[in-house]
PDB file of all heavy atoms in Angstrom:
ATOM      1  N   PHE A  22      14.954   8.441  -3.257  1.00 98.00           N
ATOM      2  CA  PHE A  22      14.950   6.984  -3.212  1.00 98.00           C
ATOM      3  C   PHE A  22      13.550   6.401  -3.395  1.00 98.00           C
ATOM      4  O   PHE A  22      12.571   6.952  -2.922  1.00 98.00           O
ATOM      5  CB  PHE A  22      15.508   6.529  -1.847  1.00 98.00           C
ATOM      6  CG  PHE A  22      15.938   5.105  -1.813  1.00 98.00           C
ATOM      7  CD1 PHE A  22      17.152   4.722  -2.365  1.00 98.00           C
ATOM      8  CD2 PHE A  22      15.124   4.128  -1.259  1.00 98.00           C
ATOM      9  CE1 PHE A  22      17.543   3.394  -2.362  1.00 98.00           C
ATOM     10  CE2 PHE A  22      15.506   2.800  -1.238  1.00 98.00           C
ATOM     11  CZ  PHE A  22      16.719   2.432  -1.797  1.00 98.00           C
ATOM     12  N   GLY A  25       7.685   5.422  -4.415  1.00 95.00           N
ATOM     13  CA  GLY A  25       6.390   5.681  -3.769  1.00 95.00           C
ATOM     14  C   GLY A  25       5.628   6.766  -4.515  1.00 95.00           C
ATOM     15  O   GLY A  25       6.234   7.642  -5.136  1.00 95.00           O
ATOM     16  N   HIS A  26       4.297   6.697  -4.450  1.00 96.00           N
ATOM     17  CA  HIS A  26       3.468   7.690  -5.155  1.00 96.00           C
ATOM     18  C   HIS A  26       3.078   8.880  -4.281  1.00 96.00           C
ATOM     19  O   HIS A  26       2.422   9.798  -4.747  1.00 96.00           O
ATOM     20  CB  HIS A  26       2.149   7.051  -5.608  1.00 96.00           C
ATOM     21  CG  HIS A  26       2.310   6.023  -6.663  1.00 96.00           C
ATOM     22  ND1 HIS A  26       3.432   5.912  -7.435  1.00 96.00           N
ATOM     23  CD2 HIS A  26       1.456   5.051  -7.086  1.00 96.00           C
ATOM     24  CE1 HIS A  26       3.268   4.912  -8.280  1.00 96.00           C
ATOM     25  NE2 HIS A  26       2.093   4.371  -8.083  1.00 96.00           N
ATOM     26  N   ILE A  27       3.390   8.804  -2.982  1.00 96.00           N
ATOM     27  CA  ILE A  27       2.790   9.793  -2.075  1.00 96.00           C
ATOM     28  C   ILE A  27       3.814  10.708  -1.412  1.00 96.00           C
ATOM     29  O   ILE A  27       3.775  11.919  -1.583  1.00 96.00           O
ATOM     30  CB  ILE A  27       1.938   9.063  -0.982  1.00 96.00           C
ATOM     31  CG1 ILE A  27       0.886   8.150  -1.651  1.00 96.00           C
ATOM     32  CG2 ILE A  27       1.306  10.052  -0.012  1.00 96.00           C
ATOM     33  CD1 ILE A  27      -0.221   8.846  -2.415  1.00 96.00           C
ATOM     34  N   ASN A  28       4.737  10.125  -0.639  1.00 97.00           N
ATOM     35  CA  ASN A  28       5.699  10.952   0.099  1.00 97.00           C
ATOM     36  C   ASN A  28       6.950  11.202  -0.737  1.00 97.00           C
ATOM     37  O   ASN A  28       7.134  10.600  -1.788  1.00 97.00           O
ATOM     38  CB  ASN A  28       6.074  10.248   1.410  1.00 97.00           C
ATOM     39  CG  ASN A  28       4.854  10.064   2.291  1.00 97.00           C
ATOM     40  OD1 ASN A  28       4.149  11.011   2.598  1.00 97.00           O
ATOM     41  ND2 ASN A  28       4.601   8.821   2.709  1.00 97.00           N
ATOM     42  N   THR A  30      10.845  10.572  -0.604  1.00 98.00           N
ATOM     43  CA  THR A  30      11.690   9.664   0.185  1.00 98.00           C
ATOM     44  C   THR A  30      13.164   9.838  -0.171  1.00 98.00           C
ATOM     45  O   THR A  30      13.508   9.924  -1.357  1.00 98.00           O
ATOM     46  CB  THR A  30      11.253   8.202  -0.066  1.00 98.00           C
ATOM     47  OG1 THR A  30       9.876   8.067   0.303  1.00 98.00           O
ATOM     48  CG2 THR A  30      12.076   7.201   0.716  1.00 98.00           C
ATOM     49  N   ILE A  43      16.336   6.449   6.299  1.00 98.00           N
ATOM     50  CA  ILE A  43      15.344   6.922   5.322  1.00 98.00           C
ATOM     51  C   ILE A  43      14.695   8.184   5.906  1.00 98.00           C
ATOM     52  O   ILE A  43      14.138   8.163   7.014  1.00 98.00           O
ATOM     53  CB  ILE A  43      14.268   5.840   5.044  1.00 98.00           C
ATOM     54  CG1 ILE A  43      14.817   4.754   4.122  1.00 98.00           C
ATOM     55  CG2 ILE A  43      13.006   6.447   4.448  1.00 98.00           C
ATOM     56  CD1 ILE A  43      14.918   5.103   2.632  1.00 98.00           C
ATOM     57  N   GLN A  45      11.863  11.081   5.193  1.00 98.00           N
ATOM     58  CA  GLN A  45      10.692  11.298   4.332  1.00 98.00           C
ATOM     59  C   GLN A  45       9.997  12.614   4.622  1.00 98.00           C
ATOM     60  O   GLN A  45       9.774  12.973   5.789  1.00 98.00           O
ATOM     61  CB  GLN A  45       9.680  10.154   4.515  1.00 98.00           C
ATOM     62  CG  GLN A  45      10.204   8.847   3.922  1.00 98.00           C
ATOM     63  CD  GLN A  45       9.206   7.730   3.983  1.00 98.00           C
ATOM     64  OE1 GLN A  45       8.718   7.423   5.069  1.00 98.00           O
ATOM     65  NE2 GLN A  45       8.900   7.117   2.851  1.00 98.00           N
ATOM     66  N   THR A 102      13.603   7.260   9.708  1.00 98.00           N
ATOM     67  CA  THR A 102      13.621   5.871  10.198  1.00 98.00           C
ATOM     68  C   THR A 102      14.953   5.237   9.781  1.00 98.00           C
ATOM     69  O   THR A 102      15.690   5.810   8.977  1.00 98.00           O
ATOM     70  CB  THR A 102      12.478   5.001   9.606  1.00 98.00           C
ATOM     71  OG1 THR A 102      12.692   4.890   8.186  1.00 98.00           O
ATOM     72  CG2 THR A 102      11.102   5.576   9.874  1.00 98.00           C
ATOM     73  N   ASN A 103      15.209   4.051  10.308  1.00 98.00           N
ATOM     74  CA  ASN A 103      16.390   3.316   9.857  1.00 98.00           C
ATOM     75  C   ASN A 103      16.162   2.795   8.433  1.00 98.00           C
ATOM     76  O   ASN A 103      15.025   2.476   8.074  1.00 98.00           O
ATOM     77  CB  ASN A 103      16.690   2.146  10.799  1.00 98.00           C
ATOM     78  CG  ASN A 103      15.519   1.205  10.975  1.00 98.00           C
ATOM     79  OD1 ASN A 103      14.366   1.641  11.054  1.00 98.00           O
ATOM     80  ND2 ASN A 103      15.778  -0.087  11.008  1.00 98.00           N
ATOM     81  N   PHE A 104      17.210   2.748   7.658  1.00 98.00           N
ATOM     82  CA  PHE A 104      17.150   2.057   6.359  1.00 98.00           C
ATOM     83  C   PHE A 104      17.338   0.579   6.672  1.00 98.00           C
ATOM     84  O   PHE A 104      18.285   0.201   7.355  1.00 98.00           O
ATOM     85  CB  PHE A 104      18.273   2.566   5.441  1.00 98.00           C
ATOM     86  CG  PHE A 104      18.231   1.958   4.066  1.00 98.00           C
ATOM     87  CD1 PHE A 104      17.575   2.601   3.032  1.00 98.00           C
ATOM     88  CD2 PHE A 104      18.843   0.730   3.813  1.00 98.00           C
ATOM     89  CE1 PHE A 104      17.516   2.037   1.769  1.00 98.00           C
ATOM     90  CE2 PHE A 104      18.793   0.153   2.546  1.00 98.00           C
ATOM     91  CZ  PHE A 104      18.131   0.815   1.516  1.00 98.00           C
ATOM     92  N   ILE A 105      16.425  -0.248   6.200  1.00 98.00           N
ATOM     93  CA  ILE A 105      16.548  -1.688   6.473  1.00 98.00           C
ATOM     94  C   ILE A 105      17.757  -2.207   5.677  1.00 98.00           C
ATOM     95  O   ILE A 105      17.749  -2.221   4.447  1.00 98.00           O
ATOM     96  CB  ILE A 105      15.251  -2.444   6.086  1.00 98.00           C
ATOM     97  CG1 ILE A 105      14.011  -1.815   6.753  1.00 98.00           C
ATOM     98  CG2 ILE A 105      15.386  -3.939   6.389  1.00 98.00           C
ATOM     99  CD1 ILE A 105      13.889  -1.938   8.249  1.00 98.00           C
ATOM    100  N   SER A 108      18.607  -4.085   2.035  1.00 98.00           N
ATOM    101  CA  SER A 108      17.303  -4.492   1.509  1.00 98.00           C
ATOM    102  C   SER A 108      17.012  -3.831   0.174  1.00 98.00           C
ATOM    103  O   SER A 108      17.651  -2.845  -0.192  1.00 98.00           O
ATOM    104  CB  SER A 108      16.206  -4.110   2.507  1.00 98.00           C
ATOM    105  OG  SER A 108      16.081  -2.702   2.547  1.00 98.00           O
ATOM    106  N   SER A 110      13.411  -3.189  -2.681  1.00 98.00           N
ATOM    107  CA  SER A 110      11.997  -3.446  -2.999  1.00 98.00           C
ATOM    108  C   SER A 110      11.900  -3.737  -4.487  1.00 98.00           C
ATOM    109  O   SER A 110      12.802  -3.402  -5.259  1.00 98.00           O
ATOM    110  CB  SER A 110      11.133  -2.242  -2.620  1.00 98.00           C
ATOM    111  OG  SER A 110      11.506  -1.125  -3.382  1.00 98.00           O
ATOM    112  N   ASN A 212       5.843  -3.067  -3.544  1.00 97.00           N
ATOM    113  CA  ASN A 212       7.014  -2.270  -3.156  1.00 97.00           C
ATOM    114  C   ASN A 212       6.931  -1.709  -1.737  1.00 97.00           C
ATOM    115  O   ASN A 212       7.800  -0.943  -1.310  1.00 97.00           O
ATOM    116  CB  ASN A 212       7.383  -1.215  -4.201  1.00 97.00           C
ATOM    117  CG  ASN A 212       6.441  -0.039  -4.245  1.00 97.00           C
ATOM    118  OD1 ASN A 212       5.576   0.120  -3.380  1.00 97.00           O
ATOM    119  ND2 ASN A 212       6.591   0.798  -5.260  1.00 97.00           N
ATOM    120  N   ASN A 213       5.901  -2.126  -0.982  1.00 98.00           N
ATOM    121  CA  ASN A 213       5.869  -1.780   0.439  1.00 98.00           C
ATOM    122  C   ASN A 213       6.341  -2.945   1.307  1.00 98.00           C
ATOM    123  O   ASN A 213       6.037  -3.032   2.502  1.00 98.00           O
ATOM    124  CB  ASN A 213       4.466  -1.321   0.840  1.00 98.00           C
ATOM    125  CG  ASN A 213       4.176   0.076   0.297  1.00 98.00           C
ATOM    126  OD1 ASN A 213       5.097   0.889   0.138  1.00 98.00           O
ATOM    127  ND2 ASN A 213       2.931   0.359  -0.014  1.00 98.00           N
ATOM    128  N   LEU A 215      10.058  -5.237   1.897  1.00 98.00           N
ATOM    129  CA  LEU A 215      11.484  -5.262   1.543  1.00 98.00           C
ATOM    130  C   LEU A 215      12.034  -6.679   1.593  1.00 98.00           C
ATOM    131  O   LEU A 215      11.657  -7.474   2.463  1.00 98.00           O
ATOM    132  CB  LEU A 215      12.275  -4.352   2.489  1.00 98.00           C
ATOM    133  CG  LEU A 215      11.889  -2.871   2.468  1.00 98.00           C
ATOM    134  CD1 LEU A 215      12.724  -2.080   3.470  1.00 98.00           C
ATOM    135  CD2 LEU A 215      12.019  -2.262   1.069  1.00 98.00           C
ATOM    136  N   ILE A 225       6.978  -2.211   5.213  1.00 98.00           N
ATOM    137  CA  ILE A 225       7.216  -0.765   5.373  1.00 98.00           C
ATOM    138  C   ILE A 225       5.973   0.044   4.976  1.00 98.00           C
ATOM    139  O   ILE A 225       4.940  -0.533   4.661  1.00 98.00           O
ATOM    140  CB  ILE A 225       8.444  -0.315   4.557  1.00 98.00           C
ATOM    141  CG1 ILE A 225       8.218  -0.572   3.062  1.00 98.00           C
ATOM    142  CG2 ILE A 225       9.709  -1.011   5.050  1.00 98.00           C
ATOM    143  CD1 ILE A 225       9.155   0.195   2.161  1.00 98.00           C
ATOM    144  N   ASP A 226       6.118   1.348   4.967  1.00 98.00           N
ATOM    145  CA  ASP A 226       5.041   2.277   4.589  1.00 98.00           C
ATOM    146  C   ASP A 226       3.800   2.052   5.446  1.00 98.00           C
ATOM    147  O   ASP A 226       2.736   1.647   4.965  1.00 98.00           O
ATOM    148  CB  ASP A 226       4.704   2.115   3.089  1.00 98.00           C
ATOM    149  CG  ASP A 226       3.951   3.338   2.562  1.00 98.00           C
ATOM    150  OD1 ASP A 226       3.519   4.160   3.402  1.00 98.00           O
ATOM    151  OD2 ASP A 226       3.800   3.458   1.331  1.00 98.00           O
TER     152      ASP A 226
HETATM  153  P1  ADP B 401       5.316   6.214  -0.169  1.00 59.86           P
HETATM  154  O1  ADP B 401       4.334   6.417   0.934  1.00 59.86           O
HETATM  155  O2  ADP B 401       5.543   7.417  -0.974  1.00 59.86           O
HETATM  156  O3  ADP B 401       4.963   5.012  -0.991  1.00 59.86           O
HETATM  157  P2  ADP B 401       7.295   4.536   1.140  1.00 59.86           P
HETATM  158  O4  ADP B 401       7.389   4.626   2.621  1.00 59.86           O
HETATM  159  O5  ADP B 401       6.630   3.358   0.590  1.00 59.86           O
HETATM  160  O6  ADP B 401       6.697   5.907   0.553  1.00 59.86           O
HETATM  161  O7  ADP B 401       8.796   4.590   0.581  1.00 59.86           O
HETATM  162  C1  ADP B 401       9.065   4.576  -0.800  1.00 59.86           C
HETATM  163  C2  ADP B 401      10.121   3.537  -1.128  1.00 59.86           C
HETATM  164  O8  ADP B 401      11.327   3.819  -0.386  1.00 59.86           O
HETATM  165  C3  ADP B 401       9.758   2.098  -0.758  1.00 59.86           C
HETATM  166  O9  ADP B 401       9.013   1.464  -1.788  1.00 59.86           O
HETATM  167  C4  ADP B 401      11.134   1.470  -0.561  1.00 59.86           C
HETATM  168  O10 ADP B 401      11.722   1.129  -1.803  1.00 59.86           O
HETATM  169  C5  ADP B 401      11.944   2.612   0.038  1.00 59.86           C
HETATM  170  N1  ADP B 401      11.952   2.589   1.528  1.00 59.86           N
HETATM  171  C6  ADP B 401      11.078   3.211   2.343  1.00 59.86           C
HETATM  172  N2  ADP B 401      11.381   3.001   3.630  1.00 59.86           N
HETATM  173  C7  ADP B 401      12.478   2.214   3.645  1.00 59.86           C
HETATM  174  C8  ADP B 401      13.316   1.663   4.698  1.00 59.86           C
HETATM  175  N3  ADP B 401      13.066   1.903   5.988  1.00 59.86           N
HETATM  176  N4  ADP B 401      14.396   0.917   4.340  1.00 59.86           N
HETATM  177  C9  ADP B 401      14.671   0.694   3.022  1.00 59.86           C
HETATM  178  N5  ADP B 401      13.940   1.183   2.006  1.00 59.86           N
HETATM  179  C10 ADP B 401      12.853   1.947   2.299  1.00 59.86           C
END
Side-chain angles (χ1 to χ4, degrees):
F22 197 78
H26 293 342
I27 305 293
N28 299 306
T30 301
I43 283 283
Q45 290 184 304
T102 64
N103 55 321
F104 183 94
I105 307 292
S108 69
S110 63
N212 73 10
N213 286 330
L215 299 179
I225 62 162
D226 199 348

